[in-house]
Amino acid sequence: MNGDTKETIDIDTKAAGTAGDNGTGDLEPPVFAVRGLWKVFGPRADRVPGSAELAALSPAELRERTGCTAAVRDVGFDVRKGEVFVVMGLSGSGKSTLVRTLTRLIEPTSGSIAIDGEDVLSMDKARLRELRRHRAAMVFQHFGLLPHRTVLDNVAYGLEIQGVGKAQRRAKAAEVVAKVGLAGLEERRPGQLSGGQQQRVGLARALAVDPEVLLFDEPFSALDPLIRRDMQEEVIRLHREEGRTMVFITHDLNEALRLGDRIALMRDGRIVQLGTPEEIVGSPADDYVRDFVRDVPREQVMTVRTAMRPAADATEAESGPAVAPGATVSEAIEAVARSGGPVRVVEDGRCLGVVDHAALLAVVAGVPAQGVAA
Amino acid sequence: MSATVTTVSKAGTAAGDARTEDSGGLREAVRRRRKLLTGGGVLAALLVLGAVLLGGGGWPAGLTADISGPLDAANDWVVDNRDTHPLFLYFLLHLSNTATDAVDAVYQGLDALGWLGVTVAAVLVAWRAAGLGRRGLRAAVTALGAFAVCGVLGMWDATLLTIALMVVSVAVAALLGALIGLAAGLSDRVDRALRPVLDTMQVMPAFAYLLPFVLVFGTGTPAALFCTVIYAAPPMARLTALGLRGADPAALEASASLGASGLQRLWTARLPLARKQMLLGLNQTIMMALSMVVIAALVGAGGLGEEVYSALSTTDVGKAFTAGLPIVLIAVWLDRTTAAAGNGAGVPAPAGSWLHGGRAWALVAAAVAAAAAVRTATWPEAWTYDISTPVNKAQEWITANLTFTEVWAREFTLWVLNPLRDVLVWLPWWSVLLLVAAVAWLVGNWVSAVTATAAMAAIGVLGVWAKSLDTLSQVLAALVLTLVLGFLAGVLCARAGRLERWVRPLLDAMQTMPQFVYLIPVVALFGATRTSAIVAAVVYALPAVVRITTQGLREVDPAAVEASRSLGASTRQQLFGVQLPLARPALQLAVNQGVVLVLAVVVVGGLVGGGALGYDVIKGLSRGEMGLGMTAGIAIVCLGLVLDRVTQRTSRTPR
Amino acid sequence: MRTVRTFRTAVAVAGALGVLSLTACGAAETGKSNEAGGDKTVKLTVPSWVGAQANVAVAKHILEKELGYKVKTQQMGEVLAWDALSKGDIDGILEDWGHPKEEKQYVETKKTVVKGGDLGVTGHIGWYVPKYFADKHPDVTDWKNLNKYAEEFRTAESGDKGELLEGSPDYVTNDDAIIANLKLNLKTNYAGSEAAQITAIKKYAKEKKPFLTYWWTPQWLNAQVDMVEIKLPEYKEGCDADPKKVACAYPHTPLQKFFNADFAKEGGEAAEFLKNFKWTTEQQNEVALMIAGEKMSPEAAAEKWVKENEATWKAWLPKK
């Protein structure tokens, strides 16, 4: 990781297409920078991305013409340091393939991937192993635990592969086991644990190698709803405590909205929209997305920033209850209902605007209100 | 990486298959009927045509090619050159000397342990392998009983020799099988290439393996050892490959995602995940090796098998029982121990126990060393008991008083076997070929039809047409008996759970017995006749047929049975209207297994008056007439192929 | 994946190297045999008929009790025994009924086997019918009349032909050729072993039924069931040279002993004793009858005979 000359690829923000990358002020390169990525399964798959004609076909037509399936089509995005980047889509949308191409568990057909500015596709085997061992660890939907090992040895598995000595890796593993709330179960076998506990082992295994980025492939979709909620909170807690970058794959919109700093919504291998939860819910890019987010309780996703209007006068700007611009609409509704009048949106003591019941209702109803600041 | 791709694409096709099958049930039935009609029509036309053009009779002499001449010449060449030719000096003799030395070394080692040491070792190994504590107690008691009886019967030295042969052959077979399985498990190409080979080896009777090895190595330990290795390795290879292929893909992917190298992945994930399958493979390999080591007495293996062989060849039933009983007990001991080890895989040793892990093995070693230090030699003669005299008395009484068995055997020969054989031999040769082709095509597909017909034609070309049909008539008679009895018993077991609970352990035990053992009681009852061979075959094949039938009926969708009951169907109607039709795949599998097992014993039956091909093999072996024996051996293999293909459903043949 | 392939290649190379190193270390020892038990071990083959078992039982008893050897016995077919003798897997055959092909191959060409002299017993093979049948139909003893009586010998196994009962498959026999060449309406049926053949004969005799069997002397059963030999075309030197064209009776064979060449040279007292071993047909029958007729174990029978015939076997012991 250190000392090597990193081959930095030219990041062309415009080429990022749907990336909608607007925060390019950072000097640090993004953790993952993905551009023009394709993964096509089938005979002579590599001709598909190159041909404009084939690339334009619908999945059914492509299959008919070439016998190939394009799981990922021309995808580009950046994952910024410290964020939770969610890739969401229905089954078959290519999201699981996408996350596997990031560490080349599935070899992409074409495009480029950079981690911390270093080209992943040009890595040799040793370098790639180094990447998988130290920089990106993955949590799987079906856990992928080794049934013949104890919990502790499963958690220590990644360290064992790195060649860490037995005592040292077990000590580290014990620490991580405690962190994910499995203390006391170290000597159990995976078969003796519940689904939620097994996934905690999977999570601990990934954490134990102390990776720069955690990749989650639908980690909680095999779990019961209540346990799923617990696990989501566990992830939120871990993210809050450690600030680790995470790429999170899910088909569950609520999960995506709960966890994601930004969400990429995939359909048929393409990213149809990339943005914050608020952007996705508030301004869907097309009918597909709109359909998708229709049943979302908007007041819990949208922030008052969306609903506020400029203060009509100084009185409005200086008196009355205040909320932060990041507060959700539902929180604002509560404040409005309590005060009976408009509420100020205040940031650093400065009044950005006000929200009143009409604007809030418009958000909940999903109709455009006047004076929405984007 | 590419592994993941294949898994994904495979999962895709599997899902696709399932879908077409779902919607295609009716279409399948229609297609089958159409196939039947066209097949029948073509067959009838060809029969008429053949009758006009070719006439009747057995295989035309002009179409035969005698291979026994060249084979005899090859045998002579081997005898003349084995002391001088470089192939022997620098390769084969090394193999055979190593084999002899290894078996000798193990035998000497066991001998040095003394009877106390060996028994203690067997008991403790069984106990440890079965998971210590109370769980392992049963296996330990079985081991103790087995070895004590071997000693008491005065078979101690023969038992040790058999075990020495087993130790060496199982070690080599397991290693070989594991390596082949590893290759097949990791490479699709190897897997595709190996599968038909392993499939064919599975239907080859143990008997057919003997001669090629005698040709190369002569009789004695090396030939016995190598044919045992080759016979016993396939299950290990097959199950290792299966285990490696069936390993949880998520776990493998997880391992890759953590940056494991290929070798790391193999050692830490693939092999441990395949462990249970591999242990099952080891269990099967051990049981097959035992079966073969015993039969290999025919080529000079020595040990318990030789005792049975010499007893059978003098129809000394008492002596055969004396040697057969230890074989049965060794089989039970080995099966219990290895099966227990397999079941215990993945279950942790009792935590906190001071016998955890390696310490138990150390204890075993220490105890064995202590027992060996007592320096007991062979089993003390004073502690033996001769059962052969009472057994022989009993047998004499049976033959004197229960004459109905012999009467029955004679009537069966006169009224069933002879007519059946005569009809088969009378059938024009081309009509037999057509019949084989038609049945194979109807049951399987055109590939199986071509294979079966070619194999049948090969029998004709070898010039053993009439003898093969004689063997075939015995197989058919035994098969019909087996199926009638097996299906009846299977239906009974499936309907009466309590009966099955009683019968199950018996069937399990019967399935582990070497084929040789079954010949002993039938000789006592029926004398040396073809009927003996057939009865032995029926008894040998019955357990598998009963078990598969029971299982098939049990697994019939309970909803379908319930639905028919709700419509007021009688028990009879339920059975014939719902259960049997739905269990058809299982019943077909039962037929296939039955025929393979029956053939295996019918040819061994050459030892007790079965005649035909099996007899030729024995004659070839005991007179050193390689040509005769090999010809018969190849014909047996061909017959096995024919029988397998005409009873095998398409799904198992490679498409 | 590529690592796995590398690993596979490595395994293959290692395997090949293993085999190479095994073979490269030089020529293998050829005269390797099962040397279980050290120097003072004699390995004898036990043929499947009782007369020969009697030889071995007595020889074994004396070798073990008088000369302090350990004797290992192994049952095998006659031809296989020749091969094993050549390889040194066994040291001696005490009763051979004549195997010209093997004798030529091993004694004359390869010189790995040497003649061990006469056993003292003269053997003869032939076709026999029971005396009670021959008394009723005296002309049956001429082979020319056999077809007339073929119907009487019919059984379930032989179909519409007369049955010629045979013994074990490894016995010396020309019967199929004789039947074909003399155009007899007979069919051979192998009982599979001497014991099975004896059982069948005893049963026929009990019911006084006619039968035709391949049989031989010396045989202990001859004392219990009276049988008469069929006169086949007379044996002349060389008439059985071509196995396919045989149409004559079997010769009278002085039974022979054969030893492994090395054993004969270096076998010490054991070799000398076995060379001296020579007894009469009656003596052999006496022991054989104890084993087969009285169901004694071969060891017990040998012990009994040795106790009663000290003068005979003392002469076989090596001169000190």
Side-chain angles (χ1 to χ4, degrees):
Chain A
M1 196 151 63
N2 309 316
D4 293 351
T5 41
K6 290 180 188 171
E7 196 187 333
T8 314
I9 55 165
D10 180 30
I11 299 167
D12 178 2
T13 359
K14 275 170 219 145
T18 48
D21 204 290
N22 41 16
T24 44
D26 318 43
L27 292 171
E28 256 186 301
V31 177
F32 275 113
V34 177
R35 297 292 177 272
L37 191 73
W38 281 83
K39 175 63 206 180
V40 183
F41 293 107
R44 296 203 289 129
D46 48 340
R47 72 199 141 132
V48 178
S51 146
E53 188 203 347
L54 290 177
L57 294 175
S58 76
E61 283 169 338
L62 184 67
R63 185 161 203 143
E64 182 85 2
R65 282 268 300 273
T66 63
C68 291
T69 316
V72 177
R73 315 171 135 232
D74 193 21
V75 164
F77 58 85
D78 284 343
V79 176
R80 297 176 202 143
K81 196 165 178 57
E83 78 171 335
V84 178
F85 185 86
V86 174
V87 179
M88 204 211 71
L90 299 180
S91 63
S93 62
K95 55 192 189 307
S96 287
T97 309
L98 176 63
V99 74
R100 281 169 174 73
T101 56
L102 292 180
T103 56
R104 282 168 62 193
L105 284 173
I106 291 178
E107 204 66 51
T109 313
S110 75
S112 71
I113 301 167
I115 180 165
D116 299 325
E118 186 188 358
D119 186 6
V120 173
L121 299 188
S122 66
M123 285 180 177
D124 63 8
K125 252 185 348 194
R127 185 90 197 129
L128 186 63
R129 253 196 325 257
E130 207 58 19
L131 160 70
R132 291 181 188 162
R133 285 183 184 180
H134 296 287
R135 292 160 79 177
M138 196 155 163
V139 181
F140 295 89
Q141 179 179 10
H142 297 295
F143 322 138
L145 302 179
L146 299 173
H148 58 285
R149 291 173 171 236
T150 61
V151 166
L152 198 64
D153 286 332
N154 260 297
V155 173
Y157 184 51
L159 296 167
E160 182 185 337
I161 286 171
Q162 293 175 13
V164 177
K166 188 163 183 178
Q168 201 186 340
R169 69 175 187 246
R170 296 196 103 193
K172 171 76 184 169
E175 194 181 298
V176 183
V177 166
K179 189 190 274 179
V180 298
L182 289 178
L185 301 179
E186 286 89 349
E187 292 305 320
R188 299 275 183 95
R189 303 277 163 127
Q192 298 165 309
L193 302 179
S194 71
Q197 287 170 325
Q198 291 193 36
Q199 194 55 293
R200 279 172 200 266
V201 178
L203 181 59
R205 179 176 63 188
L207 283 174
V209 300
D210 195 17
E212 192 182 334
V213 49
L214 275 174
L215 308 175
F216 292 87
D217 178 28
E218 300 205 39
F220 310 140
S221 39
L223 304 180
D224 292 339
L226 274 178
I227 296 168
R228 195 182 309 166
R229 219 184 152 74
D230 276 357
M231 293 300 292
Q232 287 164 358
E233 257 146 34
E234 186 80 34
V235 169
I236 291 170
R237 182 177 67 84
L238 279 170
H239 186 245
R240 206 170 45 226
E241 286 171 8
E242 302 186 329
R244 212 184 291 272
T245 314
M246 296 179 178
V247 176
F248 199 102
I249 308 294
T250 180
H251 66 255
D252 177 354
L253 182 63
N254 287 324
E255 189 168 84
L257 295 172
R258 255 172 85 87
L259 298 176
D261 290 325
R262 288 191 305 145
I263 298 171
L265 212 152
M266 283 186 78
R267 182 195 186 189
D268 290 340
R270 292 184 195 281
I271 293 185
V272 288
Q273 189 174 6
L274 191 157
T276 60
E278 198 173 355
E279 282 164 356
I280 302 255
V281 175
S283 42
D286 60 13
D287 287 346
Y288 177 75
V289 182
R290 191 166 298 123
D291 210 30
F292 216 95
V293 300
R294 183 167 37 204
D295 296 332
V296 171
R298 302 162 60 83
E299 69 279 6
Q300 286 173 17
V301 177
M302 308 298 288
T303 59
V304 289
R305 209 194 281 273
T306 333
M308 72 185 177
R309 59 173 167 80
D313 47 42
T315 347
E316 241 184 11
E318 277 153 32
S319 67
V323 294
T328 61
V329 168
S330 94
E331 285 163 343
I333 289 175
E334 198 186 332
V336 169
R338 202 162 284 160
S339 74
V343 176
R344 294 178 300 141
V345 180
V346 178
E347 190 179 40
D348 301 333
R350 198 167 61 86
C351 176
L352 300 177
V354 295
V355 283
D356 55 19
H357 65 276
L360 291 171
L361 272 177
V363 170
V364 173
V367 294
Q370 71 283 26
V372 173
Chain B
M1 291 149 263
S2 61
T4 330
V5 179
T6 28
T7 346
V8 168
S9 62
K10 253 193 208 139
T13 32
D17 284 353
R19 235 174 291 125
T20 34
E21 247 165 56
D22 270 351
S23 63
L26 192 68
R27 220 177 312 142
E28 168 75 4
V30 172
R31 205 176 53 101
R32 215 159 245 290
R33 180 141 312 149
R34 201 179 310 143
K35 200 172 167 184
L36 205 69
L37 281 176
T38 47
V42 172
L43 184 66
L46 283 175
L47 280 176
V48 172
L49 199 69
V52 173
L53 290 178
L54 296 165
W59 188 268
L63 288 182
T64 60
D66 188 12
I67 60 162
S68 60
L71 282 169
D72 281 332
N75 187 37
D76 285 345
W77 183 87
V78 169
V79 170
D80 286 340
N81 290 283
R82 69 172 166 226
D83 300 337
T84 49
H85 196 275
L87 177 65
F88 285 91
L89 282 183
Y90 293 96
F91 183 62
L92 294 174
L93 268 173
H94 276 296
L95 285 183
S96 89
N97 287 351
T98 313
T100 313
D101 289 346
V103 173
D104 258 10
V106 176
Y107 179 76
Q108 303 289 359
L110 290 173
D111 203 37
L113 281 182
W115 64 267
L116 195 60
V118 172
T119 311
V120 167
V123 169
L124 288 181
V125 166
W127 186 52
R128 173 65 188 89
L132 299 170
R134 201 158 296 166
R135 243 183 335 171
L137 216 55
R138 268 181 69 164
V141 170
T142 313
L144 181 64
F147 277 82
V149 171
C150 289
V152 167
L153 288 178
M155 285 288 151
W156 186 257
D157 286 334
T159 305
L160 283 197
L161 187 51
T162 295
I163 289 178
L165 274 165
M166 285 288 294
V167 167
V168 178
S169 58
V170 167
V172 179
L175 188 69
L176 188 70
L179 284 179
I180 294 172
L182 200 62
L186 298 181
S187 151
D188 286 330
R189 202 176 315 153
V190 175
D191 189 48
R192 265 199 307 277
L194 270 178
R195 188 148 325 152
V197 178
L198 293 181
D199 276 346
T200 308
M201 286 175 86
Q202 202 130 336
V203 301
M204 272 168 69
F207 223 46
Y209 281 86
L210 299 174
L211 279 141
F213 290 94
V214 175
L215 187 65
V216 176
F217 293 105
T219 52
T221 309
L225 195 70
F226 292 130
C227 67
T228 305
V229 166
I230 300 296
Y231 181 67
M236 187 73 196
R238 186 183 281 269
L239 281 160
T240 303
L242 199 68
L244 289 174
R245 288 186 170 267
D248 177 12
L252 294 181
E253 195 176 28
S255 166
S257 83
L258 288 166
S261 66
L263 204 56
Q264 280 179 325
R265 198 137 52 108
L266 187 67
W267 278 117
T268 58
R270 269 187 193 276
L271 286 178
L273 287 173
R275 185 175 154 204
K276 197 161 183 169
Q277 297 274 21
M278 288 173 75
L279 279 171
L280 183 64
L282 184 66
N283 172 275
Q284 290 194 9
T285 289
I286 289 177
M287 298 330 288
M288 289 185 78
L290 181 62
S291 177
M292 195 65 182
V293 156
V294 172
I295 287 184
L298 290 171
V299 299
L304 292 169
E306 193 198 332
E307 302 286 335
V308 177
Y309 172 46
S310 68
L312 280 180
S313 63
T314 52
T315 31
D316 185 340
V317 175
K319 193 174 157 199
F321 262 105
T322 312
L325 204 55
I327 297 175
V328 171
L329 291 169
I330 297 280
V332 172
W333 165 58
L334 285 172
D335 184 55
R336 288 300 131 81
T337 305
T338 50
N343 289 336
V347 181
S353 155
W354 62 276
L355 279 171
H356 189 76
R359 238 169 303 172
W361 289 114
L363 180 79
V364 170
V368 171
V374 181
R375 300 210 59 81
T376 49
T378 182
W379 187 271
E381 209 160 321
W383 295 4
T384 59
Y385 179 73
D386 176 30
I387 62 160
S388 67
T389 316
V391 169
N392 274 333
K393 287 237 172 71
Q395 194 247 334
E396 267 164 38
W397 184 85
I398 287 171
T399 38
N401 293 288
L402 300 179
T403 41
F404 73 88
T405 54
E406 287 208 27
V407 171
W408 183 82
R410 196 166 59 232
E411 299 296 311
F412 186 75
T413 309
L414 270 180
W415 297 107
V416 179
L417 280 182
N418 285 352
L420 188 61
R421 180 187 61 191
D422 294 344
V423 165
L424 282 175
V425 174
W426 168 82
L427 279 177
W429 59 273
W430 46 267
S431 70
V432 175
L433 288 190
L434 271 179
L435 212 63
V436 166
V439 176
W441 185 64
L442 287 176
V443 175
N445 54 17
W446 65 269
V447 180
S448 33
V450 169
T451 319
T453 317
M456 197 72 212
I459 290 174
V461 171
L462 287 172
V464 284
W465 184 257
K467 272 179 191 157
S468 301
L469 290 182
D470 187 354
T471 299
L472 183 62
S473 73
Q474 296 177 38
V475 170
L476 291 179
L479 182 65
V480 170
L481 278 178
T482 308
L483 292 183
V484 169
L485 294 174
F487 285 164
L488 273 178
V491 169
L492 279 178
C493 281
R495 300 196 71 87
R498 198 181 310 157
L499 181 67
E500 204 216 346
R501 258 205 309 284
W502 283 99
V503 173
R504 194 60 180 268
L506 185 69
L507 293 184
D508 283 347
M510 280 172 80
Q511 264 193 319
T512 59
M513 299 300 145
Q515 301 148 9
F516 230 40
V517 172
Y518 288 91
L519 298 177
I520 300 167
V522 297
V523 168
L525 287 173
F526 300 101
T529 60
R530 272 182 287 163
T531 314
S532 308
I534 287 171
V535 173
V538 171
V539 177
Y540 181 66
L542 212 47
V545 173
V546 173
R547 181 198 287 254
I548 297 171
T549 311
T550 310
Q551 216 162 349
L553 288 175
R554 278 276 163 80
E555 279 164 10
V556 165
D557 183 7
V561 181
E562 200 167 26
S564 97
R565 203 166 45 213
S566 78
L567 290 171
S570 68
T571 311
R572 222 181 113 83
Q573 284 169 324
Q574 276 174 46
L575 184 65
F576 287 94
V578 181
Q579 284 178 307
L580 286 179
L582 285 182
R584 203 176 112 168
L587 298 186
Q588 263 178 344
L589 179 64
V591 174
N592 181 258
Q593 287 291 297
V595 82
V596 169
L597 296 174
V598 159
L599 176 70
V601 177
V602 161
V603 294
V604 179
L607 276 171
V608 293
L613 292 178
Y615 178 77
D616 274 3
V617 172
I618 294 163
K619 191 167 163 187
L621 276 172
S622 57
R623 296 180 74 150
E625 292 181 15
M626 282 303 128
L628 181 77
M630 281 282 271
T631 308
I634 297 170
I636 289 171
V637 173
C638 290
L639 204 57
L641 270 178
V642 171
L643 289 169
D644 180 56
R645 289 305 132 91
V646 298
T647 52
Q648 191 182 56
R649 295 185 67 227
T650 323
S651 55
R652 263 180 60 204
T653 51
R655 260 176 280 192
Chain C
M1 267 291 105
R2 205 171 307 147
T3 335
V4 175
R5 202 165 305 133
T6 323
F7 168 68
R8 247 181 281 147
T9 324
V11 168
V13 169
L17 281 179
V19 172
L20 270 182
S21 64
L22 191 76
T23 51
C25 64
E29 220 179 309
T30 51
K32 191 91 193 172
S33 59
N34 286 316
E35 291 285 352
D39 286 327
K40 294 270 266 181
T41 302
V42 178
K43 290 156 291 179
L44 297 174
T45 172
V46 188
S48 60
W49 61 96
V50 180
Q53 283 171 13
N55 305 331
V56 175
V58 170
K60 179 178 174 179
H61 185 87
I62 298 171
L63 275 170
E64 288 188 339
K65 295 278 144 59
E66 302 294 324
L67 298 174
Y69 280 86
K70 190 167 162 45
V71 177
K72 291 205 137 214
T73 57
Q74 193 179 5
Q75 170 160 10
M76 54 175 86
E78 288 179 87
V79 180
L80 295 184
W82 270 91
D83 194 45
L85 191 64
S86 161
K87 285 199 287 186
D89 287 345
I90 56 172
D91 296 322
I93 297 175
L94 295 187
E95 178 174 324
D96 185 75
W97 284 65
H99 288 86
K101 181 181 160 232
E102 283 73 20
E103 205 176 318
K104 192 164 172 321
Q105 191 173 18
Y106 296 111
V107 178
E108 289 170 25
T109 313
K110 286 174 69 101
K111 302 199 193 315
T112 48
V113 176
V114 294
K115 289 190 181 187
D118 287 352
L119 175 69
V121 180
T122 299
H124 176 61
I125 299 169
W127 295 3
Y128 288 80
V129 290
K131 188 159 184 305
Y132 52 79
F133 188 70
D135 288 347
K136 227 187 288 172
H137 310 279
D139 58 341
V140 75
T141 56
D142 188 341
W143 67 270
K144 287 177 190 128
N145 299 323
L146 274 179
N147 277 348
K148 196 166 94 189
Y149 294 100
E151 209 171 312
E152 304 260 3
F153 304 132
R154 260 157 56 167
T155 66
E157 291 292 333
S158 67
D160 56 355
K161 291 180 173 168
E163 178 180 278
L164 173 57
L165 189 63
E166 297 275 336
S168 162
D170 62 336
Y171 293 168
V172 172
T173 172
N174 305 320
D175 289 356
D176 284 310
I178 297 174
I179 290 173
N181 295 327
L182 297 180
K183 301 199 172 49
L184 295 173
N185 194 20
L186 297 174
K187 189 180 172 208
T188 54
N189 178 35
Y190 285 87
S193 66
E194 183 192 30
Q197 195 178 6
I198 289 173
T199 312
I201 291 174
K202 275 185 168 169
K203 203 153 76 190
Y204 285 129
K206 204 165 132 198
E207 295 162 19
K208 297 272 181 233
K209 274 199 198 155
F211 66 90
L212 173 67
T213 183
Y214 166 100
W215 199 240
W216 63 95
T217 63
Q219 227 302 345
W220 59 271
L221 187 70
N222 295 343
Q224 297 184 357
V225 178
D226 238 343
M227 285 188 259
V228 181
E229 190 182 355
I230 307 277
K231 286 187 199 70
L232 290 169
E234 201 185 336
Y235 175 82
K236 288 195 194 82
E237 187 71 37
C239 76
D240 55 358
D242 183 348
K244 285 201 179 107
K245 292 189 184 147
V246 184
C248 60
Y250 293 86
H252 287 264
T253 325
L255 304 182
Q256 299 292 309
K257 293 176 288 185
F258 288 95
F259 301 117
N260 175 274
D262 292 336
F263 173 76
K265 219 183 294 161
E266 293 149 18
E269 289 191 325
E272 203 173 328
F273 164 74
L274 288 176
K275 279 178 205 158
N276 294 340
F277 186 100
K278 189 168 181 177
W279 60 355
T280 64
T281 305
E282 290 69 37
Q283 285 166 328
Q284 189 195 54
N285 268 345
E286 199 181 318
V287 180
L289 186 63
M290 281 193 265
I291 297 172
E294 294 163 24
K295 301 263 176 210
M296 283 171 77
S297 74
E299 291 79 21
E303 194 177 345
K304 184 156 179 251
W305 185 87
V306 165
K307 208 176 275 170
E308 292 163 4
N309 294 277
E310 205 162 315
T312 314
W313 59 263
K314 281 277 192 221
W316 303 340
L317 295 180
K319 310 279 173 290
K320 297 264 158 89

